[in-house]
Amino acid sequence: MQITAQTGASRPKPLAWKSLDWDAIERQVKRLQIRMAKAVVEKRWGKVKALQWTLLHSFSAKALAVRRVIRNRGARTPGVDNVRWETNGQKLAAVFRLKCRGYRAQALRRIYILKKNGKKRPLSIPTMSDRAMQALQALALAPIAEVQADPNSYGFREGRCCHDAIAQCFNALAKPNSAQWVLEADIRGCFDNISHSWLLENIPMDKSTLRQWLECGYMEEGVWFQSEAGTPQGGIASPILANMVLNGLETAIRNATAKRGHRINVVR
């Protein structure tokens, strides 16, 4: 399937999913993200907002968002609408349908995954369209989240992994005068308990879109349930939202203990 893109040229250019130049697409998005990150560092928030708008309305960012959805391990698991993007035509059509204006999020499909301890972890599955919108918005949030990120935050970040966290733990503990205690902390139900009001007040993205993600609720055995707190585990944007909520934790802990002379290291 081919779709004609109106680019303002004298003759419309036909597009096909397999013919897309992904290297050029990634370069274009990366350039916008780098400009956005520089504007965040300079605290030029008007410039940041303008660059976000440009990215969210660019064909390249939309194509990358759709590609991320179809490459995800859950690409064959549909949402409540039972729709999957399997053919090249469906994938390309999804790119052109991905628009911020008039966007309406659908309810999540709730399933449960059995944990090692015998408990069940809830997993909320958005529709393919909602996943693509989350992936698109995540591209516009990533530069802000990275600039504001805690130095020793390693979860759900591009180019970082558990091995980096282990290496930082070694660096913090290998010195002769290193701290003698290691404390492990876990936030109970982190994703499930994030404040909706805090997200709406502090996350720099379209509030209408964010509110729809947070309040769309979920379907379980044919019954709709309202969501009053938290971000859905299983949503593409949830990890970056959670990181933005937790950013500043490292500084807060250091400031709280600085006057006592304690050797505090925080690795998240």
Side-chain angles (χ1 to χ4, degrees), residues 3-14:
I3 294 180
T4 299
Q6 299 292 343
T7 60
S10 58
R11 181 177 297 176
K13 182 179 179 180

Side-chain angles (χ1 to χ4, degrees), residues 48-153:
V48 173
K49 190 173 182 179
L51 289 168
Q52 277 187 314
W53 190 96
T54 301
L55 187 146
L56 291 171
H57 290 79
S58 72
F59 174 85
S60 295
K62 293 178 182 180
L64 280 182
V66 170
R67 188 176 71 160
R68 179 175 178 181
V69 171
I70 63 174
R71 283 186 167 186
N72 192 280
R73 287 186 300 175
R76 298 187 62 83
T77 305
V80 293
D81 59 359
N82 205 34
V83 171
R84 292 183 296 187
W85 298 334
E86 297 179 323
T87 68
N88 290 330
Q90 290 172 331
K91 298 168 188 175
L92 191 58
V95 175
F96 286 93
R97 285 198 307 268
L98 189 55
K99 297 179 180 179
C100 298
R101 186 173 183 178
Y103 169 72
R104 292 291 180 270
Q106 294 181 264
L108 305 165
R109 177 184 166 206
R110 173 63 61 90
I111 63 173
Y112 292 88
I113 297 177
L114 189 64
K115 299 169 68 174
K116 291 182 179 179
N117 59 9
K119 296 182 179 180
K120 293 182 178 180
R121 178 169 66 90
L123 185 66
S124 300
I125 303 174
T127 64
M128 302 288 279
S129 296
D130 289 334
R131 284 178 236 178
M133 179 57 72
Q134 289 192 29
L136 178 62
Q137 295 285 347
L139 288 172
L141 282 176
I144 303 172
E146 284 299 309
V147 170
Q148 298 177 340
D150 287 346
N152 294 304
S153 165

Side-chain angles (χ1 to χ4, degrees), residues 168-216:
Q168 180 57 30
C169 288
F170 175 83
N171 292 335
L173 298 170
K175 303 178 182 64
N177 63 339
S178 296
Q180 299 300 303
W181 290 89
V182 177
L183 305 179
E184 181 184 5
D186 185 21
I187 301 175
R188 180 181 297 173
C190 177
F191 284 90
D192 297 331
N193 294 299
I194 293 174
S195 167
H196 284 182
S197 59
W198 191 96
L199 288 169
L200 290 167
E201 290 172 8
N202 293 278
I203 300 299
M205 62 170 287
D206 178 66
K207 305 305 179 186
S208 174
T209 300
L210 179 56
R211 182 177 286 106
Q212 288 187 60
W213 292 350
L214 299 176
E215 299 177 356
C216 65

Side-chain angles (χ1 to χ4, degrees), residues 39-52:
V40 174
V41 171
E42 297 167 358
K43 300 188 184 302
R44 299 171 59 193
W45 294 106
K47 182 70 171 179
V48 173
K49 190 173 182 179
L51 289 168
Q52 277 187 314

